[in-house]
Amino acid sequence: MGAEQLGFEGMPRRLYSCTPSRLNTWLDCPRRYRMAYLDRPMPQKGPPWAHNSLGSSVHNALAAWWRLPEHQRTPEAAGTLLARGWLTEGFRDEEQSAYWRERAREMTERYTATLDPADEPLGVERTVATRTDRIAVSGRIDRLDARGTELVVVDYKTGRHVLTSDDARGSLALAIYAVAAARVLRRPCRRVELHHLPSGEVAVWEHTDESLQRHIRRAEQIAAEAAAADEAYRARVPKPRRGEALPVDHAPHDELFPPRPGTLCSWCDFARHCPEGREAAPRKEPWAAVEAAARGD
């Protein structure tokens, strides 16, 4: 029995450990949250997505580019790293994969041509973490820049939709990264940027201390909802003994984890386990996003 149940005053509250992705998954769909983070064994996912392979390939190439000696950081080197580390999962066939490998190579070379190889970031794929009285949150920043006396959070985007300052302003993840980076490195961090590689556009937002705290309070509110559902779920599901994998009944706990069917269900990894999601939106082919981008949709 926990301290809260016993009513002990002054005992520390158990922090909810999370990432921005976990919090956003709860917001998007509690049922998907349950399947991703609580059900064990985890329900089988669908096949990998081509657009995720593209995004990961670009992110990996850019991270590797910054790890090169400064004199080797050329656009051509970035393109070579992209091609060498290209991920093929999810594409319709080898022809489609090769087409997108070349497009990704071009956007990676074009982007790195705008960078100063000598402008060393403070962090690349850097994990930062912070805590409040309610949550312990961590995440990985694509790039953390030092500009003057302040830090800047940079997030790479490879999707087909051009982003705006509203996307940067409203991003819970970017705000959390800014707060965590400032606390870890003891330097102000208010500016967050979304670098959209396909278009070359940069969406920027300059937070205030107040707007960052609003995001943190929002994260705490989301975490409180998710934590309560987590506890109720664990009370229902027997805890396996060491080395034992209990077959979990994946029937929906709808009162705790209701589905939120909508158009995004087409892209859900767990669509095969969710009748409401399949009814709301037929599942897309793994290469649907890149195919739509090629058509200019």
Side-chain angles (χ1 to χ4, degrees):
M1 184 177 295
E4 292 180 2
Q5 291 171 294
L6 291 171
F8 292 162
E9 294 184 1
M11 293 293 289
R13 180 184 308 192
R14 178 184 299 175
L15 298 182
Y16 179 79
S17 296
C18 58
T19 62
S21 178
R22 182 169 182 142
L23 296 175
N24 282 322
T25 300
W26 172 262
L27 277 182
D28 289 343
C29 180
R31 179 180 287 177
R32 180 160 66 92
Y33 171 94
R34 191 204 81 219
M35 289 191 278
Y37 294 104
L38 300 180
D39 285 353
R40 294 296 179 268
M42 179 189 293
Q44 185 178 3
K45 291 184 176 183
W49 301 98
H51 61 274
N52 286 344
S53 292
L54 187 156
S56 295
S57 298
V58 171
H59 280 71
N60 293 342
L62 291 174
W65 188 80
W66 282 113
R67 296 187 189 108
L68 294 174
E70 181 183 321
H71 69 277
Q72 294 182 16
R73 294 174 189 164
T74 65
E76 294 75 20
T80 298
L81 289 167
L82 183 286
R84 187 183 299 160
W86 182 247
L87 301 173
T88 61
E89 290 86 354
F91 290 96
R92 182 184 57 237
D93 49 35
E94 186 176 343
E95 180 181 2
Q96 187 185 57
S97 175
Y99 170 80
W100 278 101
R101 183 185 64 232
E102 290 311 303
R103 285 193 60 170
R105 181 174 189 155
E106 291 170 5
M107 77 170 71
T108 303
E109 291 181 353
R110 185 171 62 248
Y111 176 70
T112 50
T114 68
L115 302 177
D116 179 357
D119 191 10
E120 198 75 38
L122 280 184
V124 174
E125 296 289 333
R126 175 166 183 157
T127 297
V128 293
T130 190
R131 61 178 56 199
T132 72
D133 292 339
R134 298 176 180 273
I135 60 174
V137 61
S138 62
R140 190 169 59 186
I141 303 173
D142 290 343
R143 199 176 85 217
L144 185 63
D145 288 352
R147 301 185 196 164
T149 61
E150 300 204 357
L151 306 175
V152 177
V153 172
V154 173
D155 195 53
Y156 305 132
K157 294 298 182 183
T158 57
R160 65 185 186 274
H161 297 299
V162 178
L163 304 168
T164 70
S165 60
D166 284 343
D167 295 300
R169 176 180 59 84
S171 171
L172 179 66
L174 294 185
I176 288 173
Y177 296 156
V179 171
R183 292 181 181 175
V184 169
L185 298 175
R186 301 181 183 277
R187 294 173 65 174
C189 185
R190 301 182 184 90
R191 184 182 175 97
V192 297
E193 297 181 352
L194 295 169
H195 290 207
H196 187 245
L197 272 70
S199 67
E201 297 292 325
V202 176
V204 178
W205 187 255
E206 194 81 30
H207 277 290
T208 63
D209 291 340
E210 291 74 19
S211 67
L212 289 173
Q213 285 309 307
R214 282 197 297 272
H215 275 287
I216 293 298
R217 288 194 296 271
R218 179 172 172 240
E220 289 179 328
Q221 291 166 357
I222 299 166
E225 293 178 10
D230 288 7
E231 288 301 316
Y233 176 88
R234 293 189 182 103
R236 295 182 179 186
V237 179
K239 186 176 181 180
R241 293 189 294 270
R242 185 183 297 273
E244 180 185 19
L246 288 177
V248 176
D249 179 7
H250 294 306
H253 303 263
D254 282 348
E255 72 279 17
L256 296 176
F257 305 94
R260 290 186 181 150
T263 56
L264 290 180
C265 293
S266 292
W267 308 99
C268 181
D269 288 329
F270 300 107
R272 68 177 65 182
H273 308 287
C274 182
E276 293 90 340
R278 292 196 304 274
E279 183 177 348
R283 182 174 168 83
K284 301 282 189 180
E285 295 288 358
W287 55 85
V290 296
E291 189 171 65
R295 295 194 305 264
D297 293 355

